[in-house]
Amino acid sequence: MRAPSDAAQGDTVTAGVIGLGMIGGGVARNIAAAGLPLTVYDIRHDAADRLTGVAAPLGSPADVARASDVVLISVVDAKQVREVLAGEHGLLGAGRRGLVVLLLSTVALSAVREFAALCAGHGATLLDAGVTQAGDGKLVSMIGGPAEVVDRVRPVLDAFSKAVVHCGPVGSGMVTKIARNVVTYASWAVVREATSMAVRAGVDPERLIEVLDKAVTGGTSPLFLLRDHLDAEGVIRRQAAYIDALAQKDLAAAQELGREIDLATPVVDTVRPRMSAVLEGDYEGSV
């Protein structure tokens, strides 16, 4: 069996996937469809039965590691990642120096650092890969780790990714994913609070949808503020005082409406006193 380092010299990269759930299963199917050599493992012996082109799981993570240049881990949490890496028959026990471990599971940054050190102690390199759905069965992959290692496994990344974004050193992919999740869940909370306010005040939520859909301003886009702040000609910071005055008036009206209809407004209550900092981009201080 050839050494993993041979892959950097132009050989086909061999891949392994551990965990064939919603994300891992799709990743494995795309890698197989790209024609790359693939082995898989899952605690469910029938996990690959409905994955076109994917062979039956091997007996252990170590077996997958022995057959792979890069092993992708897609399990539920840090405890399961730890077991896959270093448990009985874990992949690091296979002794494949030069192995690349691609972590797809969303875990805390401290866990990423722990796993990177654990891999390094066994002659392997960890890349953290925050992923999110991009449609058509593909993912946006946010990668943290050495650029030369990312380049080495690029054929595997490209097989299942609509876009591959190298975010920086190890851990930066997970930081990007966590930040992206904050945007997602906070947006959901905002929409739920606004919709509840409209409904309780007697407005059909379809009218709110119509307004948001038809409005031409980019102000409701989660990217609007970020792009404007990165633009040297951006207007938000330069007009922060004026915009904050409008926001204070509008958010005060939302709080008054909430009291009138007996609706808690925790999002509005949190945002209003911080609005100036939002507009100025002054979120660097410690909490």
Side-chain angles (χ1 to χ4, degrees):
M1 183 177 292
R2 65 188 177 85
S5 58
D6 291 344
Q9 302 174 9
D11 292 350
T12 299
V13 180
T14 60
V17 176
I18 297 175
L20 298 176
M22 181 177 67
I23 296 296
V27 165
R29 186 170 51 243
N30 281 314
I31 292 173
L36 296 175
L38 174 70
T39 56
V40 300
Y41 171 78
D42 195 284
I43 58 174
R44 300 164 298 149
H45 299 301
D46 61 349
D49 288 356
R50 297 185 179 182
L51 300 177
T52 303
V54 179
L58 300 185
S60 71
D63 290 336
V64 172
R66 293 185 188 101
S68 306
D69 297 310
V70 53
V71 177
L72 297 81
I73 301 177
S74 181
V75 294
V76 174
D77 55 24
K79 180 180 179 180
Q80 291 186 1
V81 174
R82 199 172 289 111
E83 180 67 21
V84 165
L85 288 173
E88 186 178 8
H89 308 301
L91 66 87
L92 293 177
R96 291 295 302 277
R97 300 193 68 81
L99 181 70
V100 178
V101 177
L102 189 63
L103 177 62
L104 304 181
S105 306
T106 301
V107 298
L109 183 58
S110 59
V112 173
R113 292 169 176 155
E114 172 196 342
F115 300 146
L118 185 60
C119 287
H122 288 78
T125 301
L126 180 84
L127 301 178
D128 57 294
V131 295
T132 189
Q133 298 286 351
D136 299 325
K138 294 295 186 76
L139 303 173
V140 174
S141 298
M142 299 154 263
I143 312 298
E148 64 275 12
V149 181
V150 175
D151 290 342
R152 188 193 313 166
V153 301
R154 190 69 185 231
V156 175
L157 292 169
D158 287 342
F160 65 85
S161 302
K162 182 176 182 179
V164 177
V165 182
H166 184 204
C167 300
V170 67
S172 60
M174 201 63 62
V175 169
T176 306
K177 172 64 184 295
I178 291 169
R180 188 264 179 192
N181 285 349
V182 170
V183 172
T184 298
Y185 298 130
S187 297
W188 288 358
V190 169
V191 170
R192 179 64 68 188
E193 185 165 302
T195 304
S196 297
M197 179 174 289
V199 170
R200 188 167 294 191
V203 175
D204 184 341
E206 290 293 338
R207 302 290 73 78
L208 179 60
I209 291 173
E210 183 178 353
V211 169
L212 292 174
D213 186 49
K214 300 298 183 182
V216 295
T217 178
T220 55
S221 166
L223 293 176
F224 176 73
L225 177 67
L226 177 57
R227 283 175 171 156
D228 190 83
H229 272 267
L230 294 177
D231 182 357
E233 301 299 322
V235 299
I236 292 179
R237 188 179 287 109
R238 288 191 285 109
Q239 298 185 7
Y242 169 71
I243 298 173
D244 184 48
L246 292 177
Q248 294 304 318
K249 171 181 67 70
D250 294 343
L251 294 174
Q255 289 174 315
E256 180 180 329
L257 176 57
R259 290 190 293 271
E260 180 180 328
I261 61 178
D262 194 25
L263 176 74
T265 56
V267 175
V268 173
D269 295 344
T270 299
V271 170
R272 186 183 175 196
R274 294 291 295 158
M275 200 64 220
S276 177
V278 169
L279 297 169
E280 295 283 358
D282 184 23
Y283 262 80
E284 288 78 14
S286 300
V287 294

